[in-house]
Amino acid sequence: MLRPISWIALVSLLALSSRAISYDWLLLTALWLALAVAAGVWAIQQPWVKEAKRPFERHTSIALSILLIPILAYIVALVSGVILERISADRYNNARVEFMTDPDGFPFIKNFALEHYGAHVVLTSPVSGWATSSFPLPHASAAFMAIGPGFCELTLNPRNVLRGFSGDDPRPWVKGVMIHELAHCLDISRDMPSFTNNKIGIKSIAPTAAGNVVDLEGHIEAANGLATKRWREALADVFAVGYWRMVEPSANKLVADLKEKRRNGATAHTTSCWIQYAANAPLPDNLSSLPSWADEIRTTAHCALQHKRS
């Protein structure tokens, strides 16, 4: 049982090493040698090698196995990976084109952000969007907004955003995801310095870490802490809940789905306490007041930033 598993592991490591660990020739050479040794051991045990009548035939068969099996295994695995990458990228690009032209897709969040908050939202490039939203890598996500100089850059993979969604109409959910990401941009961007203004804010930093922020490096260090991650997710979720309650007839179902998702999600996303406050709080007078409304709930809700999951 261990032999085929070991062989699969060797082939996989060899194929992935050139993609994930670039230019590490020592590792690549070691894997090639290990695969060649495995191929030689396999060849020696084969009947057509053992039963060869002449030593030359036996030695040639073993040598060809040592040479060709690693090469063929590597090529097949590598080409298969390249083909799968191309299929994945094409699927993402097709979904991106549809997302750009769908009135409930990117045009919605672009117009919504500009009309209500004066924020400019752009869509990330096809290559960057695919690479950062299609693989379960660190800091990757099906949807997120990067903050640029004066704009918010949206990355969204519609297929992955809807993974696990069980409702009949996905449009309100996707809108809520975009609103959630917009809230992140509005929350964090007001704290960021610009080329003409060096002031650094701490509104997006958890109160437990804000006291240590005196410069940009301190701000970034605090932003990487679990408390600030949950603090930011809390505002974004509250913002989305407020939006749903103000415009979506199915708001109660959407909020319930969000609470369920957060209950089973990553530690930084355990925001059910804030979601419950947002679901019951009186709504603001208009959508333009959502940021201050979400700020108020995040600040006054009696929710623990250092919540430990059972």
Side-chain angles (χ1 to χ4, degrees), residues 231-297:
W231 182 253
R232 292 177 173 181
E233 293 299 332
L235 182 128
D237 279 350
V238 168
F239 198 87
V241 169
Y243 168 79
W244 277 333
R245 289 180 60 200
M246 293 181 74
V247 304
E248 294 294 344
S250 58
N252 290 338
K253 176 65 167 61
L254 292 164
V255 173
D257 288 345
L258 180 61
K259 286 182 65 177
E260 182 64 25
K261 185 176 181 65
R262 292 310 186 222
R263 187 176 293 112
N264 300 320
T267 304
H269 289 81
T270 51
T271 57
S272 296
C273 176
W274 285 278
I275 293 173
Q276 189 62 45
Y277 271 92
N280 298 322
L283 290 169
D285 295 332
N286 50 63
L287 290 169
S288 299
S289 300
L290 266 180
S292 57
W293 178 82
D295 254 335
E296 179 70 16
I297 291 177

